[in-house]
Amino acid sequence: MPGTVVIKWGGGLITHKDRLCSVNMEVIDSLSKVCASSNKNLVIVHGAGSFGHMKAKKFRLAEGDIPGLEQLQAVDEVRNDMLELNRIVTESLTEHGVSAKSFPPHIWAKGTGPNFEGELPIHDGVTIVYGDVVDDEENVFGILSGDDLMLRYATELPDVERAVFAIGGVDGLLRVPPSKAGPDDLIEVWNPDMVFEGVHESEIDVTGGIGLKASRGAMISEKGIDVLLINGQISERVLAAIEGNSVIGTRIVSGNC
Ligand code: IP8
């Protein structure tokens, strides 16, 4: 029986982050091709990129209900935009021969952060979930990041072999700002006691950017699951990471390793 690999397709990887609702189809198709070529049981968690963060930022959706602000239309719009991104992802996987089923989190999850409520849905083939606007008991609604879905799927499903965060634009966690980085600046093994340089574009990102991935990655590795952060634009690396072969990227280990 093949093991399970939980993989995040970062929002900045599969969309053009600076152009509202604009997909990077080339990357989506290359990721689908890689996933089709693996015989692992895959759970794919995709981020939001420009289908989620821009409007969520403008209408302050991560803060929940703010009296006086007309947010409910934006909640609906972002949910619909995310359904559209998810449709494109699912269709690409299907076209590449993957039997995939998608479970929109606003239907089954409630609350935000690592302790959100809801039973994790799972499909016999490839399971797809994504960062979404979900209902929240205290704040009426909020943003559930795909990084929190990664944490819960990677640590609660049986037989998980590893968690892979595929991101855009960088090879992993870096010692210096990405614009100044050379090949020697890649941190090959990272634990939470180490610093790294990551641009968190808080102007456009309503969840935690690279810092949230590192943090959730460390929480996953605490449970004894391998965690890798890799450049998702290079399909050979994505395949190697899924299969458990040696790959250029950052391995995240828990603090006390
Ligand atoms: O990109 C954010 O999910 P993430 C979801 O996985 C929305 O952090 C709707 C902004």
Side-chain angles (χ1 to χ4, degrees), residues 108-172:
W108 60 268
K110 210 172 181 185
T112 61
N115 301 319
F116 68 86
E117 288 165 38
E119 202 169 314
L120 305 181
I122 191 87
H123 170 58
D124 271 352
V126 170
T127 302
I128 311 175
V129 291
Y130 56 85
D132 202 359
V133 188
V134 295
D135 291 345
D136 184 272
E137 213 145 281
E138 210 173 304
N139 298 320
V140 187
F141 53 80
I143 303 286
L144 175 60
S145 172
D147 297 332
D148 287 311
L149 290 160
M150 284 292 288
L151 169 66
R152 296 285 298 277
Y153 271 95
T155 56
E156 290 178 22
L157 289 187
D159 309 322
V160 173
E161 289 181 355
R162 78 194 112 315
V164 178
F165 290 85
I167 55 176
V170 280
D171 287 345

Side-chain angles (χ1 to χ4, degrees), residues 8 11 45-49 51-53 56 78 82 130-133 143-147 205-208 212-213:
K8 174 128 192 231
V45 180
H46 69 77
F51 283 68
H53 290 270
V78 175
M82 287 308 297
Y130 56 85
D132 202 359
V133 188
I143 303 286
L144 175 60
S145 172
D147 297 332
D205 201 333
V206 296
T207 51
L212 187 63
K213 288 168 201 14

Side-chain angles (χ1 to χ4, degrees), residues 202-217:
S202 51
E203 283 310 304
I204 46 173
D205 201 333
V206 296
T207 51
I210 191 86
L212 187 63
K213 288 168 201 14
S215 143
R216 296 303 178 253

